[in-house]
Amino acid sequence: MKRRDILAAAGVGLAATALAGCQQESAPAAAAEAPQQTFTWKMVTSWPKNFPGVGVGAERFARLVNEMSGGRLQVKVYAAGELVPALEVFDAVSRGTAELGHSAPYYWKGKVPAAQFFCALPFGPNAQEMNAWLHYGGGMALWEEVYKPFGVVPFACGATGVQTAGWFNKEINSIDDFKGLKMRTPGLGGEVLTRMGGTVVNLPAGEIFTALQTGAIDATEWIGPYNDLALGLHKVAKYYYTPGWQEPNVTFELTVNEAAWNSLPADLQAIVRAAARDVNGDVLDDYNARNMEAMEKIRAEGVEVRRLPEPVLERLREVASQAVEDSAAADPVAGKVWAAQKAYLKRLRDYAEDNEKLIYNIRG
Ligand code: CA
């Protein structure tokens, strides 16, 4: 009896163990069979359809998210003007007209003065420095804080690398050559030009070619060889000046409506984060490769590629430095962001002086 009781008890125990094992095995299978919520999101952008570089990056983000989520998060990309105008992307995401946006932070500087420090500054950070600051130097936390009052969650999502100084039909030999120069250049670069005695003309991409061709403007900058060649600017300008002092990099942003973001399960949030990070690097790689190829074509077309004289660059740097300080001083949030970024960039550049720049200087 005693032995039978023990066996019976053991049997119950074994059965219980088997049942528990069975439940453990069947639990994930049951979850997989349960219908999972799918999300269909709109992504408004500031770019023409399939625009080289940045527009291709927006399409890549949508494709990656669709693929990685097995179709649970589907993103439809809208070109500028399809759903909202190019410069209303931030507002559209903020109010939830679209769950996602792809644009450039400095477009919102009128509404969010601190935004430009996550995007581009004259003589400011290159892509490598911006990425280090954003992802490992506290920049992202500040960016999230700056966009929080608008119900928008930001991610870095593409970078141009060093732009060019632009297309000119007048030679730039001294700082006096900026006096009276009518040039299309936005943002703080434009502010510097104004302080140098020039006249800033703001034009969207589609109007630049004609304005330069007809002489309505004397000069324009756009992005770099890859995008500039696509606009055909080499056909209407004599000189192509480097380097892009006004924008040593532009970082693009993915913006997510905060309520929409909070509605996503953690695995889909991770997919959005990973896809943004992938596109952030991929757009820069694309620009680096295609800019070089496009510059070879521009030279082959007979355009004179010139470097701005060093004394001109030195004066531009002085004026730009003051313009950045004035811009930061005009807004407390911008001032806080710039103080943090400036201190971090100083440390990065001290390190570059000791290492990276030495290689560039000697390798040719
Ligand atoms: Ca530009």
Side-chain angles (χ1 to χ4, degrees):
M1 282 296 287
K2 204 172 183 182
R3 188 167 170 266
R4 205 165 63 206
D5 286 347
I6 291 167
L7 283 174
V12 168
L14 281 170
T17 305
L19 184 63
C22 183
Q23 281 172 336
Q24 276 167 5
E25 280 165 21
S26 66
E33 284 159 16
Q36 287 179 307
Q37 192 180 355
T38 61
F39 298 81
T40 304
W41 280 9
K42 295 188 267 299
M43 181 175 184
V44 290
T45 74
S46 301
W47 328 120
K49 197 87 190 156
N50 288 318
F51 193 66
V54 63
V56 171
E59 296 286 351
R60 180 183 174 91
F61 173 83
R63 182 168 48 79
L64 281 174
V65 166
N66 293 349
E67 286 175 5
M68 287 197 281
S69 70
R72 286 169 55 217
L73 176 53
Q74 293 176 25
V75 174
K76 178 163 169 45
V77 179
Y78 291 87
E82 276 191 325
L83 202 60
V84 297
L87 301 183
E88 286 177 23
V89 167
F90 185 85
D91 286 343
V93 173
S94 177
R95 67 174 177 254
T97 303
E99 292 85 359
L100 297 165
H102 194 245
S103 192
Y106 63 1
Y107 291 153
W108 332 125
K109 75 186 181 78
K111 172 184 281 236
V112 193
Q116 59 194 338
F117 295 94
F118 306 105
C119 186
L121 294 174
F123 297 92
N126 65 15
Q128 187 173 315
E129 291 167 335
M130 181 63 98
N131 281 323
W133 177 63
L134 288 175
H135 296 120
Y136 291 98
M140 279 313 307
L142 283 168
W143 197 354
E144 287 162 11
E145 185 183 318
V146 168
Y147 278 11
K148 180 85 178 162
F150 302 92
V152 173
V153 181
F155 297 90
C157 198
T160 64
V162 183
Q163 300 203 358
T164 49
W167 303 86
F168 292 71
N169 277 320
K170 289 183 177 172
E171 290 183 60
I172 301 294
N173 295 315
S174 78
I175 56 165
D176 292 335
D177 292 323
F178 285 103
K179 291 204 175 93
L181 189 81
K182 284 178 290 178
M183 182 166 180
R184 181 264 173 205
T185 180
L188 279 169
E191 170 62 23
V192 172
L193 186 75
T194 303
R195 292 183 185 204
M196 299 285 283
T199 303
V200 173
V201 182
N202 273 321
L203 296 171
E207 293 174 28
I208 296 175
F209 180 91
T210 305
L212 195 58
Q213 189 180 38
T214 59
I217 54 174
D218 307 311
T220 184
E221 69 84 52
W222 174 226
I223 294 179
Y226 181 24
N227 287 140
D228 294 6
L229 188 71
L231 279 191
L233 298 175
H234 58 289
K235 294 175 188 160
V236 287
K238 286 186 203 154
Y239 312 108
Y240 195 27
Y241 275 95
T242 66
W245 60 272
Q246 78 288 357
E247 288 162 333
N249 172 56
V250 165
T251 284
F252 301 112
E253 65 181 8
L254 172 78
T255 45
V256 189
N257 175 274
E258 192 180 22
W261 174 252
N262 290 338
S263 76
L264 278 190
D267 62 335
L268 294 184
Q269 286 185 341
I271 284 171
V272 168
R273 199 176 278 118
R277 199 67 194 274
D278 175 281
V279 171
N280 192 47
D282 188 75
V283 169
L284 181 62
D285 298 346
D286 190 21
Y287 272 111
N288 281 334
R290 311 278 184 201
N291 277 336
M292 172 270 288
E293 294 166 7
M295 190 63 118
E296 291 172 353
K297 286 183 193 154
I298 286 165
R299 286 182 193 276
E301 293 280 335
V303 174
E304 203 175 317
V305 178
R306 289 189 172 192
R307 296 177 190 181
L308 286 171
E310 273 195 32
V312 168
L313 283 170
E314 185 53 39
R315 181 64 189 144
L316 286 167
R317 192 188 63 77
E318 289 167 4
V319 174
S321 174
Q322 193 56 52
V324 171
E325 293 296 338
D326 291 349
S327 173
D331 177 76
V333 180
K336 176 184 167 179
V337 172
W338 174 231
Q341 187 184 43
K342 186 179 177 182
Y344 197 81
L345 290 176
K346 165 82 167 65
R347 291 168 62 202
L348 280 176
R349 284 178 192 182
D350 286 349
Y351 173 67
E353 288 290 334
D354 281 338
N355 189 14
E356 196 166 330
K357 275 175 78 174
L358 302 181
I359 285 293
Y360 292 156
N361 290 344
I362 204 160
R363 73 175 188 184

